[in-house]
């Protein structure tokens, strides 16, 4: 195994190679690893499931000791792949407070920091438009109308597999008679 990071590396079943990829990755690719999923409202609005975390995003903690607490991101540490959140502290033995580093997989983005122009560009490109939703609905209606026609003819609900089996059986019977 080579010591250097390979950009052509795709994937491996071996955990040691997966971990090696993560720990030897350069900072510009580690940014993708520090991403978290969006809340349901943001998913509908932007048409994306997850985004890389940024300083200033409002997040909700989903797992761990601080579950269901919300706060703004103070810092993103790409080197350790950890996030620090405002108001999430632990007291040290000497009485001082220290920010708790959290994994991005345990967080959910509630509100985005839209100061970055590049981030806005990415979000606007994938933003869900109302016209697209309508066309999907029409396709579903067409598919549903075929099923209702079939139900009207037979009087029963049948799956396509059952109907195909019946057709094959009737063809076999016709073949036996001849």
């Amino acid at each position: 195994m080579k010591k250097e990071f390979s950009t052509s590396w795709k994937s491996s079943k071996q955990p040691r190679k997966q971990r090696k990829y993560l720990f030897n990755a350069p900072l510009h690719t580690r940014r993708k690893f520090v991403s978290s999923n969006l809340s349901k409202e943001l998913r509908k609005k932007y048409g994306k499931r997850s985004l890389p975390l940024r300083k200033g995003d409002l997040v909700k903690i989903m797992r761990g000791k601080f579950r269901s607490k919300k706060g703004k991101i103070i810092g993103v540490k790409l080197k350790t792949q950890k996030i620090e959140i405002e108001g999430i502290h632990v007291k040290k033995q000497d009485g001082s407070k220290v920010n708790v580093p959290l994994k991005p997989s345990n967080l959910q983005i509630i509100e985005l920091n839209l100061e970055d122009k590049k981030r806005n560009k990415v979000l606007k490109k994938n933003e869900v438009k109302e016209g697209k939703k309508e066309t999907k609905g029409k396709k579903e209606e067409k598919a549903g109308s075929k099923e209702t026609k079939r139900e009207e003819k037979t009087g029963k609900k049948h799956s396509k597999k059952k109907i195909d089996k019946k057709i094959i059986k009737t063809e076999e019977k016709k073949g036996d008679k001849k």
Side-chain angles (χ1 to χ4, degrees):
M1 253 178 10
K2 294 178 184 174
K3 288 184 180 179
E4 293 178 21
F5 179 81
S6 172
T7 53
S8 63
W9 188 85
K10 296 289 181 199
S11 64
S12 174
K13 289 181 182 178
Q14 298 177 353
R16 69 187 171 99
K17 288 186 181 177
Q18 292 173 1
R19 293 179 78 242
K20 182 188 171 198
Y21 176 78
L22 288 174
F23 296 128
N24 291 336
L27 293 178
H28 71 280
T29 55
R30 281 189 189 211
R31 188 174 165 272
K32 289 181 185 176
F33 305 150
V34 186
S35 59
S36 187
N37 67 346
L38 297 170
S39 65
K40 289 183 180 179
E41 298 85 39
L42 292 177
R43 275 186 210 171
K44 284 181 183 177
K45 186 177 179 182
Y46 295 113
K48 277 187 149 277
R49 190 172 184 85
S50 63
L51 279 174
L53 291 166
R54 276 188 64 92
K55 186 177 177 179
D57 285 344
L58 186 72
V59 291
K60 181 180 178 185
I61 301 170
M62 304 301 284
R63 295 277 183 272
K65 183 179 175 181
F66 302 101
R67 181 189 299 129
S68 73
K69 290 192 177 180
K70 298 175 185 177
K72 264 192 176 175
I73 295 176
I74 300 170
V76 178
K77 296 183 177 181
L78 293 178
K79 200 128 192 171
T80 57
Q81 297 176 11
K82 302 281 183 175
I83 284 40
E84 291 179 348
I85 299 173
E86 186 180 354
I88 307 298
H89 306 288
V90 169
K91 268 191 179 179
K92 286 175 72 175
Q93 198 71 24
D94 64 350
S96 61
K97 292 181 180 179
V98 179
N99 292 326
V100 178
L102 299 166
K103 289 185 179 179
S105 61
N106 298 333
L107 304 174
Q108 185 177 55
I109 303 172
I110 296 172
E111 192 179 301
L112 293 168
N113 177 11
L114 299 172
E115 292 174 9
D116 186 19
K117 290 178 184 177
K118 283 185 182 179
R119 196 180 207 190
N120 280 335
K121 203 173 188 179
V122 169
L123 291 173
K124 285 181 182 177
K125 185 169 54 172
N126 290 335
E127 200 167 337
V128 178
K129 295 173 185 168
E130 292 178 20
K132 288 184 179 180
K133 282 187 179 179
E134 291 175 15
T135 56
K136 287 182 183 177
K138 289 179 183 177
K139 288 179 183 177
E140 290 172 5
E141 287 176 17
K142 288 180 183 177
S145 63
K146 288 179 185 176
E147 292 172 12
T148 52
K149 287 178 185 177
R150 192 179 301 129
E151 288 171 17
E152 288 174 7
K153 287 181 183 176
T154 57
K156 297 178 184 177
K157 285 188 175 182
H158 293 290
S159 66
K160 288 185 177 181
K161 289 181 181 178
K162 286 182 180 178
I163 292 171
D164 292 339
K165 286 181 183 177
K166 285 183 180 180
I167 292 169
I168 292 169
K169 285 182 182 178
T170 53
E171 289 175 357
E172 288 176 353
K173 286 181 183 177
K174 289 179 183 177
D176 292 338
K177 290 180 182 178
K178 290 181 181 179

